[in-house]
Amino acid sequence: MATPITGVGGQADQNLEIGAHTFRSRLFVGTGKYQDLAVMREALAASGTDCVTVAVRRLQTGVPEGETLLDYIDTERYRLLPNTAGCFTAKDAIRTAMLGREAGMSDMVKLEVLGDPDTLLPDPVGTVEAAQYLVEEGFTVLCYTSDDPVVARRLEDVGVAAVMPAGAPIGSGQGILNPNNLRIILSRASVPVLIDAGVGCASDVAVAMELGAHGVLLNTGIALAADPVRMARAMKAASEAGRDSFLSGRIPKRLYASASSPTQGLIAGE
Amino acid sequence: MTHVIQEISINGEKQRVPSPLTVEDLLRHLSIDRRYVAVECNRKLIVKQEYAEAKIEAGDFLEIVTFVGGG
């Protein structure tokens, strides 16, 4: 986990390294739910992200030429991170990951094994099982999980490249609901921790980064904002502000006041 | 060359396609660009290097997937 950089300078932050992959941006952005692919393209650019998530689904025939999702994603600029969204068993997630790797020719996968269709909370047992299998198959696994520090540790033990605890339920926009557990996960992790899911606005991203998260992954918070491009820009600024704030070594919180102006040299009172 | 027709399932739908057929032939027949696409035949992943050799038989179940928007 990064420690505050002391001394003069505000020196440049290191890049984010996940497995053998390096990222300049600490924001990972999803490609789902946009009203309009052209807006998505602009929003991705405004976010400054290096990496976008995609889902693996049956090829649809009859889509007009030039109007598929991939026609709107510059794959020279953004790395594709296939997810295993919609999988409720380890077996399905593994199968989807294999398909995603073959389609995208990359070893990265965002692993999700869901336990419940209403909360979209992960199935911890299935997640650990699938993660272990995929790591052994040579995948760089970025693993969606809950904010349970025990599961996070298990996932690290089986070799995931990044642990991705949810801030709040997927798409719920509630922000960081359990900072305490996230702090615990961050204090023990020896792989990058990205807060993934539930982010609703820019300050949620800043809060996540100030906790010490290595990055944030979000989709709905941008895609369904009234102005996705503006929100993407805000999220970019927030991820940088939150990261700088974290690295700056903030002041402690005090119960009582501590004057900012000197108490000596005061002119005589009445 | 004799054109025989066979029935297979593609993405859950029955389709009539020529026979004999390889995966490579099928993608060409359907005008599918293999980039960002993956194929399973009877639940078995076919890697791209094998497309030219992988034969499709009558009654086979094919899944042809690609990337769509997702979080």
Side-chain angles (χ1 to χ4, degrees):
Chain A
M1 186 169 108
T3 49
I5 298 169
T6 54
V8 176
Q11 65 199 83
D13 189 12
Q14 301 153 334
N15 285 326
L16 172 60
E17 289 180 11
I18 299 178
H21 302 270
T22 303
F23 305 90
R24 283 170 304 115
S25 167
R26 290 174 180 273
L27 217 52
F28 288 54
V29 182
T31 56
K33 291 175 164 172
Y34 289 87
Q35 308 278 24
D36 183 315
L37 290 175
V39 169
M40 179 199 74
R41 183 168 51 197
E42 271 194 78
L44 295 182
S47 76
T49 187
D50 291 332
C51 184
V52 302
T53 55
V54 290
V56 177
R57 294 287 182 269
R58 286 171 164 174
L59 186 71
Q60 300 278 2
T61 50
V63 178
E65 176 117 1
E67 289 302 310
T68 66
L69 176 84
L70 290 167
D71 292 315
Y72 284 81
I73 296 179
D74 178 355
T75 54
E76 297 289 305
R77 181 175 183 175
Y78 308 112
R79 255 159 297 182
L80 298 178
L81 175 58
N83 67 27
T84 66
C87 293
F88 286 81
T89 64
K91 195 169 168 201
D92 281 347
I94 289 165
R95 189 176 157 213
T96 303
M98 297 293 191
L99 284 162
R101 178 166 65 176
E102 190 58 29
M105 309 309 292
S106 161
D107 67 0
M108 289 199 300
V109 64
K110 174 184 160 173
L111 175 63
E112 301 175 42
V113 183
L114 304 176
D116 174 343
D118 292 317
T119 62
L120 296 182
L121 281 168
D123 165 4
V125 177
T127 302
V128 174
E129 189 189 318
Q132 181 164 19
Y133 186 95
L134 291 172
V135 166
E136 285 167 7
E137 285 289 313
F139 283 81
T140 298
V141 179
L142 287 74
C143 198
Y144 166 69
T145 180
S146 70
D147 56 22
D148 180 343
V150 175
V151 178
R153 173 61 66 83
R154 289 275 181 278
L155 290 170
E156 240 192 84
D157 289 344
V158 301
V160 302
V163 170
M164 306 210 295
I170 293 171
S172 71
Q174 294 196 63
I176 309 302
L177 288 178
N178 193 346
N180 204 60
N181 269 22
L182 294 175
R183 276 195 197 96
I184 292 170
I185 291 174
L186 286 161
S187 73
R188 295 167 160 188
S190 56
V191 295
V193 176
L194 278 68
I195 308 299
D196 170 20
V199 170
C201 62
S203 54
D204 293 338
V205 173
V207 164
M209 297 306 293
E210 278 181 323
L211 284 173
H214 299 82
V216 174
L217 198 161
L218 70 132
N219 188 158
T220 310
I222 290 177
L224 294 186
D227 186 341
V229 179
R230 186 183 290 269
M231 182 59 86
R233 197 162 72 225
M235 300 278 192
K236 176 179 191 284
S239 72
E240 290 164 4
R243 181 67 178 166
D244 267 340
S245 177
F246 170 73
L247 291 176
S248 301
R250 62 155 296 156
I251 57 169
K253 294 188 184 183
R254 296 169 178 274
L255 181 58
Y256 292 105
S258 163
S260 300
S261 304
T263 50
Q264 291 182 334
L266 286 162
I267 56 172
E270 287 285 303
Chain B
M1 178 174 166
T2 319
H3 289 287
V4 178
I5 300 293
Q6 59 182 337
E7 193 175 82
I8 63 173
S9 168
I10 301 175
N11 290 349
E13 287 184 3
K14 286 196 169 42
Q15 300 235 17
R16 295 159 75 74
V17 296
S19 175
L21 200 71
T22 62
V23 170
E24 185 171 83
D25 293 334
L26 178 65
L27 295 184
R28 194 182 311 118
H29 175 73
L30 298 172
S31 303
I32 292 172
D33 182 347
R34 66 166 62 191
R35 200 173 183 215
Y36 301 123
V37 151
V39 178
E40 265 186 5
C41 183
N42 299 330
R43 294 291 202 106
K44 182 174 172 292
L45 178 69
I46 313 291
V47 297
K48 287 179 170 136
Q49 299 95 290
E50 289 171 8
Y51 282 3
E53 265 79 58
K55 288 186 174 51
I56 296 171
E57 314 277 334
D60 279 351
F61 284 87
L62 268 82
E63 294 279 1
I64 305 177
V65 299
T66 187
F67 293 139
V68 301

